[in-house]
Amino acid sequence: MANARESELHYPLGDTLPQPGEALDLAPGVRWVRMGLPFALDHINLWLLRDRIDGREGWTIVDCGIASDDTRANWEQVFATHLDGLPVLRVIATHFHPDHLGLAHWLTEKWSCRLWMSATDFNLARLASSSTVGMGGASAAAFFGSHGLTDLESLDKIRARADYYPKMVPVVPASYRRLMDGSVIDIGGRPWRCIAGYGHAPEHISLFCEEARLLISGDMVLPRISTNVSVVDVEPEADPLTLYLDSLKRYLELPADTLVLPSHGKPFTGLHQRIDQLQEHHDERLAEVIAACRAEPTHAAGLLSVLFKRKLDLHQTTFAMGEAIAHLNALWLKGELKRELGADGVYRFLPA
């Protein structure tokens, strides 16, 4: 959902964007790359950080783009024109989602370098690239069906999406270096601190450089849209929304003038305001969910028109279902709602 309070944020670069295959200088030793995506959310921001490892000068890449011919071609153009003739020394992935990890194997093979990421997301990516994790297949369709999604065409398409993740992340590197909350990485002589966040991904890693007042926020803090927070079939009773909102509070410890480098949207300042906006957004959604459940016992599919005011394609419907279940689970696990399984095999929620 678009940010109604976006005017409270400031975009230092205005509407300037790097074109595919190009890079923009944001700060000394920091370059912004932007790649296309085949979804309604049509781009991802990737970052180049000037680096030095084991006496070698070069670059660190943060996030990779999906595995596609277009993304590879754009990277080749970046390598030819925006690395100052220097090699890539490491690849950091903020989390396991396809737009962030898809080309990690290709990049690390091409440059003979290491992937760095959290252990939880690395191991989940290894599993997902050889099967499916919450993105599609029979298990996902059955899970969404148990939460009221009855449209047969949508369920058939979800069953057919068993290869959703492997298509965009066909291979995950066999080895990696682990990032954890509080880890400090020396990148080009400057310390970058890892901040683990939960709810959007199992163990998302953002990177903060106090010296440069820069936060590579990944998907944890986005300027225009709210981060997707979903329950999926592999952890059906999860409470990712509470985890996400608790994680956001940690960013309030960072300086108010921090320049946020998000994975989607434009670099912005106004981090503290954005966290307040996100908290307000989810408070409003939770209130809407409670009101709907008070009116009548409600399942997640019945909340789609309440929580999302626009027409959804299949890709968006799967994320919207995951979000609706996340809001219901948060209220259920706090004891504000109770859950009942109907004779039709569908979970409905009503006031506790």
Side-chain angles (χ1 to χ4, degrees):
M1 187 170 293
N3 177 13
R5 294 171 53 189
E6 191 178 5
S7 62
E8 298 174 18
L9 309 180
H10 173 61
Y11 297 99
L13 278 73
D15 293 325
T16 303
L17 302 172
Q19 296 304 305
E22 300 297 319
L24 281 180
D25 286 309
L26 284 178
V30 180
R31 291 177 179 170
W32 174 19
V33 175
R34 189 174 168 101
M35 301 284 187
L37 294 174
F39 318 123
L41 186 60
D42 61 2
H43 70 277
I44 179 171
N45 300 322
L46 314 168
W47 314 100
L48 295 171
L49 306 178
R50 190 72 162 76
D51 207 353
R52 179 184 176 89
I53 300 178
D54 298 331
R56 297 175 65 214
E57 298 288 335
W59 296 89
T60 281
I61 290 174
V62 181
D63 286 335
C64 308
I66 63 168
S68 73
D69 291 341
D70 285 347
T71 313
R72 275 185 284 267
N74 287 328
W75 269 127
E76 293 285 12
Q77 185 176 333
V78 169
F79 299 153
T81 56
H82 293 284
L83 296 188
D84 305 333
L86 297 171
V88 174
L89 303 177
R90 71 177 136 202
V91 174
I92 296 174
T94 57
H95 60 297
F96 86 104
H97 290 159
D99 46 337
H100 299 262
L101 191 65
L103 278 182
H105 181 265
W106 178 74
L107 289 167
T108 54
E109 288 280 303
K110 179 179 180 65
W111 293 103
S112 300
C113 64
R114 183 78 68 226
L115 170 67
W116 296 45
M117 67 185 299
S118 72
T120 313
D121 278 52
F122 174 77
N123 286 300
L124 186 53
R126 296 270 289 179
L127 172 66
S129 68
S130 60
S131 60
T132 183
V133 174
M135 307 290 186
S139 178
F143 175 62
F144 290 141
S146 74
H147 283 277
L149 187 66
T150 57
D151 177 65
L152 295 179
E153 183 181 1
S154 293
L155 291 172
D156 283 344
K157 288 179 178 177
I158 291 168
R159 288 187 196 95
R161 279 173 25 128
D163 63 347
Y164 172 86
Y165 192 92
K167 275 202 306 191
M168 291 184 285
V169 191
V171 185
V172 176
S175 61
Y176 79 114
R177 182 155 170 178
R178 184 178 185 182
L179 296 178
M180 299 174 66
D181 186 52
S183 299
V184 177
I185 316 169
D186 183 302
I187 302 178
R190 293 193 293 201
W192 290 74
R193 176 165 59 89
C194 296
I195 303 172
Y198 308 96
H200 174 67
E203 192 181 3
H204 180 295
I205 299 292
S206 301
L207 298 167
F208 175 63
C209 179
E210 185 167 13
E211 180 183 323
R213 287 290 205 274
L214 292 175
L215 172 69
I216 297 177
S217 65
D219 280 348
M220 287 297 292
V221 186
L222 304 175
R224 297 207 69 186
I225 59 174
S226 58
T227 297
N228 179 259
V229 179
S230 284
V231 177
V232 296
D233 59 275
V234 293
E235 194 182 356
E237 285 82 38
D239 185 7
L241 182 57
T242 299
L243 291 174
Y244 175 71
L245 293 174
D246 286 346
S247 295
L248 281 183
K249 296 171 186 173
R250 306 186 59 202
Y251 296 100
L252 292 172
E253 302 167 6
L254 305 185
D257 63 349
T258 296
L259 178 62
V260 182
L261 309 184
S263 291
H264 309 285
K266 298 176 291 188
F268 71 96
T269 56
L271 174 62
H272 295 183
Q273 292 94 320
R274 185 56 181 142
I275 292 167
D276 179 63
Q277 293 166 10
L278 289 165
Q279 180 68 62
E280 179 184 71
H281 166 78
H282 285 292
D283 285 346
E284 290 172 354
R285 299 293 84 76
L286 289 165
E288 290 174 343
V289 170
I290 288 176
C293 293
R294 282 185 182 139
E296 63 177 334
T298 303
H299 50 57
L303 289 172
L304 295 188
S305 61
V306 174
L307 297 177
F308 302 93
K309 313 301 184 188
R310 64 190 185 279
K311 184 174 174 58
L312 303 171
D313 61 24
L314 179 72
H315 180 75
Q316 293 165 330
T317 296
T318 59
F319 282 106
M321 281 294 296
E323 286 241 5
I325 299 166
H327 284 76
L328 287 165
N329 276 9
L331 294 165
W332 167 52
L333 293 168
K334 286 184 177 70
E336 295 185 45
L337 295 178
K338 62 181 179 180
R339 188 179 80 167
E340 294 182 348
L341 182 62
D344 57 358
V346 173
Y347 289 109
R348 289 174 177 82
F349 295 76
L350 59 158

